[in-house]
Amino acid sequence: MRIDIFSLFPEMFAGPFGSSILKRAVDQGIVNFNIHNIRDYTHDKHHSADDYAYGGGAGMVMKPEPVFEAVETVQAQAGDIINRKCSVILLTPQGRKLTQQAAEELAKYDWLLLICGHYEGVDERIREHLATDEISIGDYVLTGGELAAMVVTDAVVRLLPGVLGSGESLINESHTGGLLEYPHYTRPEVFRDWSVPEILTSGNHGEIAKWRRRQSIIRTAQRRPDILKMAELNSKEQEIVADLSTQKLEEKGV
Ligand code: 6GU
């Protein structure tokens, strides 16, 4: 996969892309990153990338010309990949929300071009005539799209074949099966009087799997009842959830 990022603050990307799993993915040739400074595509004396809003009001708006020129220049130099599966994504709080499912869809592309919005917003023509998708990473406001672009990149790249080693499996992880993960423990077996649940040291793999599944269901019901609806539970597992609600009512004295 090729990922191009268009930003007014390209230096922000040096850290996250230069370490850990993302760096390994680059070294393995699974992904390559190109970070572009939008300001390099301005032509006025002051290299201005923003301007006042038509109609007035506080806050600056990102100008269309440098962003169009940056993206189109890179596309024009691209060669063959232009004919592959591409998406031009504007990072904006107004976009569709990044979910695990959205990350899985993006992981199918050959080329992602990520435009980091800034100031009070971007000129509407960027979203209308340049971006093919708009993504937000959640319901809160960031100072710019850079951190959001890093989050999208991380969530997508780790899904690409070969990026995670055998010890970093994609199976069983939170959100893919609609359930949160079960509790994890490692050595020591007793830490400050707190013991690892006995079942995990029993060596009974069947019972361990059952315990983990049950813990996942309980956790999800307690913490994220909103995603529990999407989980595929058998009738016995639905009973566990029902028992939990009954328990809750009893605790409240109903
Ligand atoms: Cl993509 N951009 C900004 N500025 N704020 C956000 C966001 C994006 N996603 C959530 N909040």
Side-chain angles (χ1 to χ4, degrees), residues 77-149:
Q77 294 165 347
D80 259 2
I81 197 170
I82 199 87
N83 300 316
R84 309 283 295 270
K85 202 167 150 60
C86 303
S87 185
V88 180
I89 302 169
L90 177 65
L91 282 311
T92 161
Q94 300 180 15
R96 65 189 177 106
K97 207 183 288 179
L98 180 69
T99 58
Q100 191 59 30
Q101 195 193 327
E104 282 161 16
E105 283 164 22
L106 295 178
K108 294 177 192 152
Y109 282 81
D110 298 300
W111 190 13
L112 299 178
L113 299 91
L114 307 179
I115 304 169
C116 304
H118 246 276
Y119 307 112
E120 286 308 293
V122 305
D123 187 283
E124 188 66 14
R125 289 162 290 192
I126 294 171
R127 71 173 84 239
E128 279 181 347
H129 304 294
L130 187 62
T132 57
D133 196 358
E134 296 174 44
I135 289 181
S136 156
I137 62 163
D139 294 336
Y140 39 80
V141 181
L142 302 171
T143 55
E146 281 76 11
L147 289 167

Side-chain angles (χ1 to χ4, degrees), residues 15 18 47 60 64 69 93-94 117 130 157 163 166 170-171 180 200 203 246:
H47 299 285
M60 304 295 277
E69 189 179 316
Q94 300 180 15
L130 187 62
V157 170
V163 171
S166 52
L170 285 175
I171 356 174
L180 300 182
L200 296 178
T246 319

Side-chain angles (χ1 to χ4, degrees), residues 54-227:
Y54 272 116
M60 304 295 277
V61 176
M62 233 160 114
K63 291 164 64 63
E65 307 97 309
V67 179
F68 272 80
E69 189 179 316
V71 171
E72 287 169 350
T73 302
V74 166
Q75 284 174 328
Q77 294 165 347
D80 259 2
I81 197 170
I82 199 87
N83 300 316
R84 309 283 295 270
K85 202 167 150 60
C86 303
S87 185
V88 180
I89 302 169
L90 177 65
L91 282 311
T92 161
Q94 300 180 15
R96 65 189 177 106
K97 207 183 288 179
L98 180 69
T99 58
Q100 191 59 30
Q101 195 193 327
E104 282 161 16
E105 283 164 22
L106 295 178
K108 294 177 192 152
Y109 282 81
D110 298 300
W111 190 13
L112 299 178
L113 299 91
L114 307 179
I115 304 169
C116 304
H118 246 276
Y119 307 112
E120 286 308 293
V122 305
D123 187 283
E124 188 66 14
R125 289 162 290 192
I126 294 171
R127 71 173 84 239
E128 279 181 347
H129 304 294
L130 187 62
T132 57
D133 196 358
E134 296 174 44
I135 289 181
S136 156
I137 62 163
D139 294 336
Y140 39 80
V141 181
L142 302 171
T143 55
E146 281 76 11
L147 289 167
M150 293 177 209
V151 169
V152 169
T153 299
D154 192 279
V156 170
V157 170
R158 65 185 290 287
L159 295 175
L160 301 177
V163 171
L164 295 191
S166 52
E168 305 154 324
S169 162
L170 285 175
I171 356 174
N172 273 339
E173 64 180 12
S174 288
H175 292 293
T176 15
L179 290 174
L180 300 182
E181 274 205 59
Y182 51 77
H184 300 274
Y185 293 90
T186 185
R187 287 188 288 184
E189 194 175 330
V190 181
F191 169 67
R192 297 190 179 171
D193 255 13
W194 301 309
S195 300
V196 172
E198 221 169 288
I199 183 81
L200 296 178
T201 56
S202 69
N204 186 335
H205 297 293
E207 286 304 313
I208 290 171
K210 270 201 252 173
W211 181 86
R212 286 179 166 168
R213 175 87 184 160
R214 187 183 156 81
Q215 291 295 318
S216 282
I217 293 165
I218 293 171
R219 286 216 151 172
T220 313
Q222 287 171 338
R223 299 176 186 208
R224 294 296 305 276
D226 57 315
I227 64 169

Side-chain angles (χ1 to χ4, degrees), residues 33-46:
F33 295 112
N34 301 284
I35 317 292
H36 309 277
N37 191 343
I38 293 170
R39 214 173 288 283
D40 291 344
Y41 297 87
T42 55
H43 301 289
D44 63 305
K45 197 170 69 186
H46 297 107

